[in-house]
Structures are given as C-alpha cells and as structure tokens.
Amino acid sequence: MRVVFFLLVLANLGFFAWMYFGTASEEPQLMGQQLNPQAIRVLSAEQLAALAAERAKQTVERAKTPPKPVLAACLELGAFNLGDVPRVQQLLEPLALGSKLSQRREEEIAGYWVFLPPQRNRQAANQKAAELRKLGVEDFFVVQEDPKFRFAISLGVFKTEEAAQARLAELRTKRVRTARVGPRETPVQKIYFAVREVPEAVVSRLNELRQSFPGSELKDCSIEEKRAAK
C-alpha cells in the first residue's frame, strides 16, 4: 500500500509541474497572436449610449429619404372623338393630375368609319339608336346631311383601317352584329390629353385607360406640347 501511495504522490507532483512550466512557456506565443491589443479601448456607458443614438438617427434619416421616382417629361394620350371626351375625363379624375393635365384639339382627315347601314327612315334610325343604348353603346350619331348615307348610324371615324377594325371588334363584344367598316374621308375633330412629369405608376394607369378606347395611343408629346411644358 505504501508503494501505491508514493506512486500516486509522484504522479500528482509531475502533473502540477507540467501544468505550471508548460503553460508558462506558451503564454508569450499566445500574446503574440493577439491583434493590436494596445488598440483596444473600453467605452463608458455614456459613450455606448451616444453611439447607439447616432446609429438610430442614421437609420431614421435613410428611411425618410425615399428613392426619387422616375418621371416621364410629357406623354400624350389620344386621339379621342368628341363623344369620348367626358368618359376620358371621368377616368382621369382619380389620378388628380391638376395643372399637369392639358388637352388640345386637332382636325384630322378620317379615312375609315364604323357604321350601321342606312335605315329606312328617321323612325327606324331612332329605334336602332335605342337598341344601341340598351347594349351599352353611347358614342354614335345618326347621319342626316349626307344623301348617300342618310339615316346611317356612325359608330366612330378613324384615321387608319386598323383603328376602325379595333372599334368593330369592341362592338362585337357588345353584340352589335350589323356594324361594318368602310372608307370615308371626312374632317373630324380629335382631342388629345397631355400629361407632364408623369410618375411611373401613372404611366401604368394611363396605359390601362388607353386600352378602353380602341385606336388610341400613349406616346411622347408633340414638339409643340413639349415647348409649352417648359
């Protein structure tokens, strides 16, 4: 038993000697591996609070400065028949464009029209007009001055055949079956709406509005309109 006791004592002494001398020899190496220990600075509670407040202020300032919206200098929407103008104005009203919105009138030579063939007499033309209103068609008029087309019902005059065909397709969706497209050169009044400094979101809304009026376009303003906008 004494032998075992002395062996345990020697083992403990050896372990403590290794712990003391071994770790002491490694301390200089560990200290050398530290990165600029002399540059470490302990902040006080007041300094930490000030730093946190500055960071919070910078975050708030960045949130208050939204990205600058992309603006189009001037866009023009048209052309519209006189009968379409009240509905266009009603659709533009929710956009609250104010002084950014203007309109111009221009006389164009229409090359095509969409029409119902001449009716037998005025009474028949009025009856056909009432049927159109029931189908939700409001933009039309009864021709009376032209002997060749007297009591025909005009459903729109257009500069190009493509625009006239688009109008005809729209009328087909409203169950107007007897309308047709034909050539007709006649001067007509057209209305254009110009919008200055247009945000990207408004451009999207104007495109949606345009799709409700076959033959209309959304494009850059004419040179005259751009000069007036300056």
Side-chain angles (χ1 to χ4, degrees):
M1 292 295 292
R2 281 184 184 178
V3 175
V4 175
F5 174 75
F6 283 114
L7 288 174
L8 288 173
V9 171
L10 289 173
N12 283 322
L13 290 173
F15 176 75
F16 284 115
W18 176 80
M19 287 289 293
Y20 178 78
F21 293 105
T23 56
S25 63
E26 292 176 358
E27 284 182 2
Q29 182 180 359
L30 292 174
M31 289 294 293
Q33 292 176 356
Q34 295 181 18
L35 298 177
N36 299 324
Q38 67 277 7
I40 297 175
R41 182 165 59 94
V42 179
L43 299 177
S44 66
E46 292 78 6
Q47 290 173 320
L48 285 173
L51 181 61
E54 181 62 26
R55 294 280 175 86
K57 181 181 178 181
Q58 292 175 0
T59 302
V60 171
E61 289 298 327
R62 283 195 293 268
K64 285 182 178 179
T65 311
K68 190 175 181 180
V70 179
L71 300 178
C74 183
L75 292 178
E76 189 172 68
L77 182 65
F80 299 102
N81 297 321
L82 294 177
D84 288 330
V85 171
R87 187 157 67 100
V88 176
Q89 291 174 327
Q90 183 179 8
L91 293 173
L92 287 171
E93 189 173 349
L95 301 181
L97 297 171
S99 61
K100 294 180 180 179
L101 178 66
S102 61
Q103 62 176 276
R104 67 182 179 90
R105 183 186 299 249
E106 184 174 301
E107 186 175 90
E108 297 179 353
I109 299 299
Y112 297 87
W113 69 327
V114 182
F115 66 101
L116 297 180
Q119 306 299 304
R120 295 188 308 276
N121 49 42
R122 186 186 301 275
Q123 182 179 357
N126 290 337
Q127 182 178 351
K128 185 63 70 173
E131 293 175 4
L132 289 172
R133 291 190 182 94
K134 287 182 180 179
L135 295 174
V137 180
E138 297 290 341
D139 184 16
F140 65 85
F141 68 90
V142 178
V143 179
Q144 300 188 39
E145 303 298 330
D146 188 342
K148 182 179 178 181
F149 290 101
R150 192 175 187 188
F151 300 134
I153 299 179
S154 173
L155 295 160
V157 288
F158 302 91
K159 197 170 184 178
T160 66
E161 184 177 5
E162 290 77 10
Q165 291 291 350
R167 170 63 168 168
L168 181 64
E170 179 197 18
L171 292 168
R172 290 282 189 264
T173 65
K174 295 182 177 181
R175 296 181 297 161
V176 179
R177 306 301 183 193
T178 57
R180 64 182 66 173
V181 172
R184 183 174 176 83
E185 291 196 5
T186 181
V188 292
Q189 294 290 329
K190 293 288 186 178
I191 303 297
Y192 292 84
F193 291 87
V195 186
R196 299 182 297 278
E197 299 177 4
V198 192
E200 189 174 348
V202 173
V203 174
S204 177
R205 297 284 297 277
L206 292 174
N207 262 316
E208 293 175 5
L209 189 155
R210 176 191 61 79
Q211 294 171 12
S212 301
F213 297 88
S216 64
E217 296 179 316
L218 181 65
K219 57 186 179 181
D220 285 338
C221 293
S222 63
I223 296 175
E224 293 78 9
E225 282 290 334
K226 286 183 176 180
R227 286 174 179 170
K230 291 182 178 179

